[in-house]
Amino acid sequence: MSEWWYNTRTGEVEEGMKSSVVDRAGPFPSREEAARAPEIIAARSRQWAEEEELDER
């Protein structure tokens, strides 16, 4: 089974760990999901921020 990565520097989807670790986001189970990496990362960041805000109350 292949792993897919999103290259944050180039915006390209890559099969396997081809780029430097500082430029990779993933792994993702499919090419399609890796292509949505910026959207997925933003949604997770919003969720974590909301959870932290609730913890601080």
Side-chain angles (χ1 to χ4, degrees):
M1 183 171 179
S2 295
E3 290 184 326
W4 298 89
W5 301 80
Y6 180 80
N7 185 311
T8 58
R9 186 176 48 82
T10 65
E12 302 275 330
V13 173
E14 301 172 344
E15 185 175 9
M17 294 187 285
K18 295 180 181 171
S19 298
S20 171
V21 67
V22 298
D23 295 328
R24 284 193 321 256
F28 296 93
S30 69
R31 174 181 282 280
E32 293 76 19
E33 195 168 342
R36 293 182 39 242
E39 174 188 335
I40 292 168
I41 292 167
R44 288 179 184 165
S45 293
R46 282 191 301 274
Q47 181 182 7
W48 292 330
E50 291 169 5
E51 290 171 2
E52 280 186 9
E53 185 176 323
L54 288 175
D55 288 345
E56 293 174 359
R57 291 183 185 174

